[in-house]
Amino acid sequence: FEDTRKFQTTAKGAKLELEELAQTGEMDLTSKGRRQGGKMRTFAERHGAADGKKGGKKSGKKAKENRVWDGQVTKESMQILDYSGAKSDEGNDSSRSVSALVDERSRGARTADGIYEVADVAERPAGPDDKGGFVLLGDEDNTDDDDGSNGDSASKKSAIGGFFGMFKSLTSGRVLTAEVLTEPMARMREHLTNKNVAADVSDEICKTVANSMIGVRVGGLQNIRKLVEQSMETALTRILTPVTSTDIIRDIEQAKQQGRPYTMAFVGVNGVGKSTNLSKVCYWLLQNNKRVLIAACDTFRSGAVEQLRVHVRNLRALSENQNVEIFERGYGKDSATIAKDAIAFGASNAFDVVLIDTAGRMQDNEPLMRALAKLVSVNGPDKILFVGEALVGNEAVDQLQKFNRALRDFSGQSRPRHIDGIILTKFDTIDDRVGAALSMTYTTGQPIIFVGTGQTYTDLRKMNVSQVIRALLRA
């Protein structure tokens, strides 16, 4: 009973405890305060020490080890995974493999003028024989309708049974009228809506297709197929044709002749991949032998500056052209001032391009949208690129509209700026639901400059009208 905690709470046990504390020097019974500043041992430790003194030896009981559960992160495993210090014995452990940062299958090609161009976006996801998540269009995907190949016959049968099945009710030899086309156009509108095409864009496409088919005598389903494809190409070309220049390399050369750097600002909501796609654009510029300065103007998000430092380090390791630097002023500073200083630094140090990374902000956050409008109005970037997700569908259209409205309302200028181009990220996650791309371009009249299709620096693509048409025509 004397060795239990219950005995410790009794008067005799408490008295015995005080005597033991006095013997070990942890408490002075003659002092007024009685307690000194030493660390008090537990009851078990004091009795163990007393037993050891009495027996002339310490207790041999082994301390209990902590249980390590499956999947639990231990201190030892964290030390193994810590690459922050230079503790590499060989050169390979201190940096990531180049193959992990660049996907050679996604790499673009050089034109006859030596300009590095990114590859076209894929129309279809990778098949079972493709190791990557996305593949490029090949010649077999662009077969002509008039040849007699087996692949083309299969594609015709697939098209007849899929999208063009809605036109089966139009019998051969019949002259098409608006009344006859009412039902097929309604089904076509529903089909486009399922591809994430906004309602007003679907109406525009259906109207164009219907007007081109009225008064035409039906000569078979294959003739209807060609007519619909031509009509959709006309409508989509009108929507996707840019009203501003998309030749960024040429614009950079023009700015260089004026003795100033070409500036590009990347804006968008939180988490869409602005910094990641900024680094992809930087890689593309480095491949074209441009000197690039990255302005770290995201002074709000923790780790934003460090993220850009990592990208700069990787880009220097990957490219023969290592002319990329970061301009930073830390956190909590005015982003408009940092961008202004970065542009001045770029001009005085002969940089060709200044890429401005901004903080992510929701489109309804008025204080942050005012700050963005201030950055744009103070610095006047040559290109304002809105970075949006293809994954969210028409929510990206709402974001784009409100960003444009904020730049207009909060700029304080008689001729306010607006979004000049779009980078659509996570395009490899939407399969053939390319409607968001159409809707965003239709809403602003601005082109989609690039689409992001992965996490490596070469996962930056461009898209064309024919690929969008094939994606929309898939059942």
Side-chain angles (χ1 to χ4, degrees), residues 46-60:
R46 289 194 296 272
H47 279 271
D51 293 341
K53 288 181 180 180
K54 293 177 182 178
K57 60 179 181 178
K58 295 184 179 180
S59 174

Side-chain angles (χ1 to χ4, degrees), residues 293-311:
L293 179 67
I294 299 178
C297 296
D298 184 354
T299 61
F300 181 76
R301 176 173 63 90
S302 299
V305 177
E306 289 77 7
Q307 181 183 8
L308 291 178
R309 288 178 191 162
V310 173
H311 282 309

Side-chain angles (χ1 to χ4, degrees), residues 52-85:
K53 288 181 180 180
K54 293 177 182 178
K57 60 179 181 178
K58 295 184 179 180
S59 174
K61 187 176 180 180
K62 187 178 180 181
K64 184 179 180 180
E65 296 182 357
N66 294 330
R67 182 187 296 272
V68 179
W69 301 95
D70 292 339
Q72 181 180 354
V73 179
T74 63
K75 184 178 180 179
E76 291 75 14
S77 62
M78 291 177 64
Q79 291 175 349
I80 295 174
L81 296 173
D82 183 10
Y83 293 96
S84 58

